[in-house]
């Protein structure tokens, strides 16, 4: 079974952050690294459920959604004041040169987190009779969320975005995929690769 590359990248990123103990970061840079590590832990807690490797737990999904929400929007952008780039920060200069796009992604994370919280009670799209998921939705080219235009940047990142209420009507794995994809898109555009 294919594993979703988004999950693997985010889990690897959070593990790398923890392993390097933030490279001696202090102040606002450490605060934002801690926030990113906190979200990475939330992804790591939920991913096994989405893959069908752990029992589905509504409370864990809600806790993860609360973590994403706590670090989204203004909470996120306030951690990136002008001039706070450079080592040990992993933020690219594009954070500040393309501030509106960065800010939009931070806001979008909040909408998606609220949607995920609402979707927690919906369970998984591909759930079996025992409530576990075989993970079909999260992998492969035939998956519902994996390669759709909505997820690739069109509707999610531009006009016609889904509201938190619309996302809350989805299966939780679809909502979680949307969260991890906005995280991945932000990391790709605004985060330098760890050395």
């Amino acid at each position: 079974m294919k594993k979703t590359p988004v999950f693997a990248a985010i889990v690897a990123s959070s593990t790398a952050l923890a392993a390097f103990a933030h490279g001696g970061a202090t102040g606002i840079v450490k605060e934002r690294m801690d926030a990113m590590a906190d979200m990475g832990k939330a992804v790591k807690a939920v991913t096994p459920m989405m893959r069908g490797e752990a029992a589905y737990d509504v409370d864990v999904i809600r806790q993860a959604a609360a973590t994403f929400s706590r670090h989204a929007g203004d909470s996120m952008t306030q951690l990136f004041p002008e001039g706070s780039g450079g080592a040990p920060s992993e933020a690219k200069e594009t954070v500040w040169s393309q501030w509106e796009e960065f800010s939009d992604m931070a806001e979008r994370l909040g909408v998606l987190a609220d949607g995920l919280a609402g979707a927690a009670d919906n369970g998984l799209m591909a759930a079996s009779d025992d409530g576990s998921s075989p993970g079909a939705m999260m992998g492969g080219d035939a998956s519902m969320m994996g390669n759709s235009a909505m997820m690739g940047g069109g509707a999610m990142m531009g006009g016609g975005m889904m509201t938190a209420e619309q996302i809350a009507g989805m299966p939780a794995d679809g909502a979680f995929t949307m969260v991890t994809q906005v995280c991945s898109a932000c990391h790709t555009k605004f985060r330098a690769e760890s050395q």
Side-chain angles (χ1 to χ4, degrees):
M1 173 174 72
K2 289 183 180 178
K3 301 293 183 198
T4 303
V6 173
F7 292 140
I10 291 173
V11 171
S13 294
S14 65
T15 303
L17 278 176
F20 289 109
H22 305 305
T26 60
I28 197 76
V29 173
K30 183 175 185 325
E31 287 179 44
R32 70 181 175 229
M33 288 180 163
D34 288 346
M36 298 300 170
D38 196 26
M39 288 188 286
K41 289 175 190 171
V43 169
K44 200 171 186 177
V46 172
T47 298
M49 286 183 261
M50 300 299 136
R51 292 180 176 164
E53 298 167 358
Y56 187 81
D57 188 330
V58 172
D59 292 332
V60 172
I61 302 293
R62 285 193 188 120
Q63 289 167 6
T67 297
F68 300 131
S69 185
R70 184 173 56 254
H71 296 301
D74 289 342
S75 294
M76 172 77 71
T77 58
Q78 289 172 3
L79 293 174
F80 290 85
E82 189 85 37
S84 65
S89 174
E90 295 175 336
K92 292 180 182 177
E93 288 304 313
T94 54
V95 167
W96 298 279
S97 66
Q98 297 177 22
W99 184 257
E100 187 174 334
E101 185 177 354
F102 177 73
S103 181
D104 287 349
M105 284 187 179
E107 288 298 321
R108 187 71 188 141
L109 178 60
V111 171
L112 296 170
D114 291 346
L116 176 60
D121 286 325
N122 301 341
L124 303 178
M125 181 180 145
S128 63
D129 291 338
D130 67 358
S132 65
S133 170
M137 184 171 169
M138 303 313 294
D141 292 339
S143 68
M144 178 180 158
M145 301 306 290
N147 289 317
S148 71
M150 181 178 76
M151 300 312 305
M156 185 174 84
M157 304 309 278
M161 289 188 259
M162 293 179 73
T163 65
E165 292 76 23
Q166 290 168 323
I167 296 162
M170 298 173 63
D173 41 358
F176 182 67
T177 296
M178 293 175 79
V179 168
T180 59
Q181 287 189 342
V182 81
C183 291
S184 180
C186 192
H187 286 184
T188 298
K189 181 122 187 168
F190 299 112
R191 180 176 177 247
E193 291 295 318
S194 298
Q195 300 298 331

